[in-house]
């Protein structure tokens, strides 16, 4: 078995290890035997409540959102041929944040909205922001310009960030704290509704990205070579970018503005398995799931009974890695 074929099972094993650690980490600690007993229905009522209503949905949302952000980053980096690209460059996180803050500023009781309403608004906001970036990056004669996507995305994200700052000034202290927790990137409060809402997006678009692995391989060589290999470049770019936007918007809608996952995971995946997307796609998804679940687990365990938001933990790891990638790409 080649090395890259061994990487996928190894990453899956790493994810299982993190899951096992995360099951008994937190303010209400449970030892491994208590976890096993609860999983088979022999735990106390309190242990069942902690495990099945709080920890399991939170862990599954972390796994799905991490995989979704990583897959989105993988597609965006390939199409833009920019190793520093990630979903944040399309303004998805900022667009989602503007939608949430705008709603809270117009409806002060918005924090008490149904469980899936704010994620739905965040999804719409992220998709609209990405749509604006695509519209500004498209030309009739040349089609979608990958280089312009990144520059336009940075500009749109900056403008939306400024708008979000202005809107946040209208919020009360309680609503501002509520919005700040979401914008920082937190999986606290995840429910089974979030799991079922996110699952079809991530699973369906993971299968789509895997199916398009050869197209991604062709696009990674540039538009001229991809056209020579028989790919309908503009059509494939639009389809794949639409999938990337849906993945990122769905993930951000339930996890908040968590950055760097879409940058780090695909970059590490390519270093581990090479450039073939038949391996890069599943490796990116597994690495993204490991990173976000690991960050959430560390955040729950380090300062008990308080917590560090997963987005902060990811940023602590991601910022130095971003500088490392930037330094390597500048050489």
């Amino acid at each position: 078995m080649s090395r890259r074929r061994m990487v996928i099972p190894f990453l899956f094993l790493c994810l299982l290890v993190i899951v096992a650690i995360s099951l008994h980490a937190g303010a209400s600690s449970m030892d491994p035997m208590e976890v096993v007993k609860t999983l088979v229905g022999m735990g106390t009522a309190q242990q069942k409540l902690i495990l099945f209503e709080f920890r399991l949905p939170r862990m599954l949302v972390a796994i799905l959102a991490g995989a979704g952000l990583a897959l989105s980053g993988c597609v965006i980096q390939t199409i833009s041929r920019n190793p520093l690209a990630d979903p944040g460059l399309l303004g998805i996180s900022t667009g989602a944040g503007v939608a949430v803050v705008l709603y809270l500023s117009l409806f002060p009781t918005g924090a008490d909205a149904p469980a899936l309403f704010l994620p739905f608004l965040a999804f719409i906001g992220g998709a609209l922001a990405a749509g604006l970036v695509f519209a500004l990056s498209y030309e009739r004669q040349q089609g979608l310009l990958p280089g312009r996507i990144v520059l336009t995305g940075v500009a749109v994200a900056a403008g939306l960030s400024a708008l979000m700052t202005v809107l946040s000034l209208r919020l009360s202290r309680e609503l501002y704290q509520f919005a700040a927790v979401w914008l920082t990137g937190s999986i606290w409060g995840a429910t089974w509704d979030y799991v079922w809402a996110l699952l079809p997006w991530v699973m369906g678009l993971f299968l789509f990205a895997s199916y398009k692995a050869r197209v991604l391989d062709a696009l990674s060589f540039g538009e001229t070579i991809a056209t020579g290999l028989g790919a309908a470049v503009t059509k494939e770019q639009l389809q794949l970018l639409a999938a990337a936007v849906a993945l990122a918007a769905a993930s951000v809608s339930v996890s908040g503005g968590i950055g760097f996952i879409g940058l780090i995971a695909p970059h590490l995946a390519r270093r581990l398995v090479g450039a073939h997307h038949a391996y890069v796609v599943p490796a990116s998804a597994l690495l993204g799931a490991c990173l976000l679940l690991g960050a959430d687990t560390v955040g729950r365990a380090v300062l008990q009974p308080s917590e560090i938001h997963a987005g902060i933990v990811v940023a602590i790891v991601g910022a130095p890695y971003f500088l490392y990638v930037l330094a390597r790409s500048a050489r």
Side-chain angles (χ1 to χ4, degrees):
M1 183 181 290
S2 65
R3 182 187 123 178
R4 63 186 179 188
R5 290 183 179 177
M6 294 175 63
V7 168
I8 306 300
F10 174 75
L11 291 176
F12 185 74
L13 180 61
C14 289
L15 179 60
L16 292 179
V17 171
I18 298 172
V19 167
I21 296 171
S22 185
L23 279 171
H24 62 83
S28 300
S29 182
M30 298 172 63
D31 62 50
M33 285 305 300
E34 289 176 334
V35 170
V36 172
K37 288 181 179 178
T38 306
L39 287 174
V40 298
M42 298 174 61
T44 65
Q46 182 180 5
Q47 289 171 341
K48 291 178 181 178
L49 177 67
I50 292 170
L51 198 61
F52 291 111
E53 298 302 323
F54 295 111
R55 286 195 188 157
L56 278 177
R58 179 172 180 165
M59 290 165 56
L60 290 171
V61 165
I63 290 170
L64 292 170
L69 290 170
L71 287 169
S72 179
C74 175
V75 172
I76 294 169
Q77 287 177 12
T78 300
I79 292 176
S80 65
R81 299 191 301 280
N82 184 345
L84 300 178
D86 82 330
L89 288 180
L90 296 181
I92 296 172
S93 299
T94 317
V98 168
V100 171
V101 173
L102 177 62
Y103 174 73
L104 292 176
S105 66
L106 294 175
F107 303 97
T109 59
D112 299 323
L116 291 177
F117 187 70
L118 288 181
F120 173 75
L121 283 179
F123 180 89
I124 297 299
L128 288 175
L132 177 61
V133 172
F134 290 165
L136 295 174
S137 304
Y138 186 84
E139 287 190 359
R140 288 187 178 181
Q141 296 180 346
Q142 301 181 53
L144 199 63
L145 302 176
R148 188 180 292 181
I149 290 175
V150 176
L151 296 176
T152 306
V154 171
V156 169
L160 290 174
S161 180
L163 175 60
M164 186 164 54
T165 301
V166 173
L167 290 172
S168 66
L169 296 176
R170 301 183 54 184
L171 300 180
S172 65
R173 179 178 297 179
E174 293 76 14
L175 283 178
Y176 180 80
Q177 290 176 344
F178 174 83
V181 169
W182 187 89
L183 293 170
T184 302
S186 174
I187 309 172
W188 180 87
T191 66
W192 286 107
D193 288 339
Y194 288 9
V195 175
W196 302 128
L198 186 56
L199 181 63
W201 289 95
V202 175
M203 292 303 298
L205 293 172
F206 167 76
L207 293 174
F208 176 76
S210 299
Y211 174 72
K212 292 289 186 179
R214 290 188 178 182
V215 174
L216 288 167
D217 287 340
L219 292 174
S220 67
F221 291 111
E223 295 179 14
T224 303
I225 296 178
T227 302
L229 293 172
V233 173
T234 300
K235 176 184 174 183
E236 297 292 355
Q237 284 179 334
L238 288 173
Q239 288 181 350
L240 287 165
L241 282 172
V245 169
L247 279 165
S251 300
V252 166
S253 71
V254 298
S255 65
I258 294 176
F260 293 110
I261 296 287
L263 168 70
I264 299 173
H267 198 268
L268 287 175
R270 290 186 179 93
R271 293 177 67 89
L272 290 172
V273 300
H276 292 289
H277 284 82
Y279 299 100
V280 173
V281 168
S284 296
L286 286 169
L287 280 165
C290 288
L291 285 170
L292 189 50
L293 180 59
D296 185 56
T297 302
V298 169
R300 282 190 282 133
V302 171
L303 294 178
Q304 297 181 13
S306 300
E307 292 187 9
I308 304 175
H309 299 311
I312 296 175
V313 179
V314 172
I316 291 172
V317 177
Y321 190 81
F322 176 80
L323 294 175
Y324 164 75
V325 174
L326 183 63
R328 282 181 59 90
S329 62
R331 292 176 183 176

